Amino acid sequence: MSKEWKFQTKAVQAGYEPKPGEPRILPIYESTTFYYDSVDYVARLFDLKEEGHMYSRISNPTLEAFEKKIAALEGGVGALATSSGQAATMVSLVNVANAGEHIVAASTLYGGTYTLLSVTFKKLGIEVSFVHPDAEEDEIKAAFRPDTKALFAETIGNPGLNVLDFEKFSRIAHDMGVPLIIDNSFATPYLCRPFEHGADIVMHSTTKYIDGQARSVGGVVVDSGKFPWDNGKFPSFTEPDPAYHGIRYVESFGNAAYITKARVQFMRDIGLTMSPFTAFLLHMSLETLSLRMEKHSQNALALARYLKNNEKVAWVNYPGLEDSPYYDLAQKYLPLGCGGMLTFGLKGGLKEGKKFMENLKLASLVVHLGDTRTSVLHPASMTHRQLTEEEQRSAGVTPDLIRVSVGIEDIDDIINDFDQAINKAV
Ligand SMILES: *Cc1c(COP(=O)(O)O)cnc(C)c1O
């Protein structure tokens, strides 16, 4: 791969480079194990002194191709594929925070992430303080403690669709000596590359736009290679690791310390591994990521404008609309488009919203987003159901909120479908 290549060329060409006579298309290496003819070579592999595969829980050639491509697209030094987006969030944070330590996170998160951080992390002994991402810098800094190890947020919050002020967040994280870790699932590296705006680690639920066709659950963590892990706050990166016969990650792996530690410590011990078949699909899906994201963004903007002009609609939220409070941040950080997610409420509210969703013909009611098909979801009774009403409001979920994942069908058909369903509901 040439480093000079532009995004779309990398999306097609990066990750897999066959040698003469090998398959042109990335093979699915459905093999747990690898063949060797030298004991010493295997010993060097286990010492991490030789690059190669030991066992598919830790690495596999099909996963490696996908990891290299997504790292190239995000502009990172390495990536680690995981079994789900939840696993990616878990690995990205547990790689830096131990039991007894603390994380600061934006309150406007995907429901599953919010529960992982507020309930499950607490059981593991990691405490998380939530701050509204639009709060003043001093207020966010006040949530930090001496043992805080990371600042976590989403590029586009789910489902509030608030766009993150990366400049503010990266300044806060770096003033406090911790990495900024970003969930970039809604934007994808085509619309936003957080490393260009000061983020240190990016993770994705690949289940969404990276897969793009709602086939496989998966996740990935990408390392920018830029965070100074030897700043004194992260002894697990500089002191010998007893789980890996005394290896020191920064000393041995330099700017790939974070992603190597995530792989040889957490992936090896916990085994949140992606399947080779999923990695094969994702590697192929990335070829069309930019085409899909362009179309998702165009369709979502057109649908948002239609809803805005419909007198039966109470409100519409899409960061690409000029009157959105996030319009300026969207212009700055999402200049190619704001993605396919929008939210709105009908006049009347909850009852009308339910009737609308049940009358859609083209769009379907599913617990998913980011695929080619237009779909709708009611967060208050679905993804954010486990949260209290106060937690729901703080995450941007009102009872009447309908979340739309705008697909890549013909926009006329999408608008006609919404129009007939709205007219039956209100
Ligand atoms: C879906 C989602 C997740 C969780 O990913 P899974 O692949 O479902 O485990 C995390 N973050 C965001 C923004 C999501 O939309």
Side-chain angles (χ1 to χ4, degrees):
M1 186 196 83
S2 162
K3 280 217 157 43
E4 312 301 312
W5 280 345
K6 296 209 163 52
F7 187 91
Q8 180 54 24
T9 309
K10 289 180 188 166
V12 174
Q13 299 279 352
Y16 174 63
E17 290 176 44
K19 297 190 188 71
E22 288 182 353
R24 181 64 193 95
I25 299 306
L26 172 69
I28 304 168
Y29 286 93
E30 196 65 47
S31 179
T32 58
T33 35
F34 303 90
Y35 169 80
Y36 315 104
D37 60 2
S38 151
V39 174
D40 288 344
Y41 172 81
V42 184
R44 286 200 302 280
L45 271 183
F46 272 86
D47 280 348
L48 306 178
K49 294 200 169 112
E50 190 88 53
E51 277 194 32
H53 302 287
M54 289 180 266
Y55 185 53
S56 282
R57 183 182 344 108
I58 305 162
S59 71
N60 167 286
T62 311
L63 271 69
E64 186 183 11
F66 164 64
E67 289 164 344
K68 281 188 169 159
K69 187 184 276 189
I70 190 82
L73 295 179
E74 285 285 6
V77 294
L80 177 66
T82 61
S83 52
S84 68
Q86 290 297 98
T89 307
M90 168 93 188
V91 170
S92 74
L93 290 167
V94 175
N95 201 31
V96 296
N98 297 316
E101 296 179 337
H102 176 252
I103 290 164
V104 176
S107 58
T108 50
L109 296 174
Y110 169 71
T113 308
Y114 189 86
T115 311
L116 170 67
L117 301 189
S118 61
V119 179
T120 304
F121 269 33
K122 193 180 273 170
K123 289 185 199 159
L124 298 176
I126 301 171
E127 268 201 66
V128 181
S129 300
F130 295 95
V131 291
H132 197 282
D134 297 340
E136 293 295 326
E137 202 155 328
D138 290 347
E139 196 184 318
I140 300 177
K141 280 187 174 169
F144 280 71
R145 304 178 191 165
D147 60 357
T148 302
K149 299 294 163 151
L151 178 59
F152 184 85
E154 296 178 356
T155 304
I156 304 175
N158 178 358
L161 306 182
N162 50 301
V163 178
L164 190 72
D165 184 341
F166 278 98
E167 208 176 300
K168 178 175 82 178
F169 261 65
S170 63
R171 188 167 55 234
I172 294 170
H174 298 153
D175 281 357
M176 307 312 275
V178 306
L180 175 60
I181 304 184
I182 296 293
D183 182 336
N184 199 30
S185 306
F186 271 32
T188 82
Y190 177 65
L191 298 178
C192 178
R193 286 180 292 283
F195 296 157
E196 293 173 5
H197 309 297
D200 302 287
I201 305 297
V202 158
M203 52 76 40
H204 288 273
S205 164
T206 62
T207 318
K208 313 295 165 54
Y209 288 108
I210 290 181
D211 177 302
Q213 297 186 43
R215 298 165 302 194
S216 301
V217 173
V220 71
V221 183
V222 190
D223 182 359
S224 70
K226 288 189 194 144
F227 190 79
W229 301 107
D230 53 1
N231 69 357
K233 277 185 85 92
F234 297 91
S236 63
F237 284 78
T238 50
E239 297 303 313
D241 180 6
Y244 225 102
H245 46 67
I247 208 159
R248 295 171 194 259
Y249 293 101
V250 170
E251 189 183 291
S252 300
F253 302 104
N255 70 351
Y258 173 92
I259 206 70
T260 308
K261 178 172 177 287
R263 183 184 300 283
V264 304
Q265 201 175 66
F266 286 96
M267 195 52 79
R268 186 201 61 172
D269 287 2
I270 301 177
L272 308 160
T273 311
M274 177 181 280
S275 91
F277 183 62
T278 301
F280 166 79
L281 292 176
L282 296 176
H283 185 261
M284 202 182 297
S285 276
L286 284 175
E287 294 177 9
T288 57
L289 180 71
S290 68
L291 307 175
R292 288 184 284 111
M293 293 316 290
E294 260 170 38
K295 188 76 177 166
H296 282 297
S297 300
Q298 282 166 9
N299 278 357
L301 183 59
L303 184 65
R305 289 200 170 127
Y306 153 80
L307 290 168
K308 183 100 214 147
N309 292 325
N310 188 322
E311 57 183 24
K312 296 180 176 175
V313 172
W315 57 271
V316 189
N317 183 14
Y318 184 66
L321 287 176
E322 283 81 357
D323 63 353
S324 158
Y326 298 101
Y327 182 74
D328 291 340
L329 284 170
Q331 293 299 301
K332 182 170 176 187
Y333 295 114
L334 303 161
L336 298 178
C338 298
M341 302 303 300
L342 66 82
T343 57
F344 74 101
L346 285 173
K347 286 197 178 142
L350 181 58
K351 189 169 95 350
E352 286 75 8
K354 283 184 175 161
K355 199 157 178 215
F356 159 77
M357 285 186 272
E358 287 166 3
N359 273 295
L360 288 165
K361 296 195 167 81
L362 177 152
S364 47
L365 183 63
V366 296
V367 184
H368 191 256
L369 64 93
D371 71 278
T372 53
R373 282 158 287 268
T374 298
S375 57
V376 297
L377 175 151
H378 183 234
S381 58
M382 296 166 77
T383 48
H384 289 66
R385 194 176 179 83
Q386 270 80 39
L387 275 56
T388 63
E389 192 166 327
E390 195 189 318
E391 286 173 325
Q392 287 187 0
R393 280 190 192 279
S394 140
V397 177
T398 51
D400 65 338
L401 184 149
I402 297 167
R403 194 190 75 184
V404 188
S405 171
V406 186
I408 63 171
E409 302 97 336
D410 192 293
I411 186 61
D412 292 345
D413 294 328
I414 300 173
I415 289 177
N416 285 340
D417 190 38
F418 273 59
D419 206 54
Q420 63 82 22
I422 290 173
N423 289 335
K424 285 192 185 116
V426 185

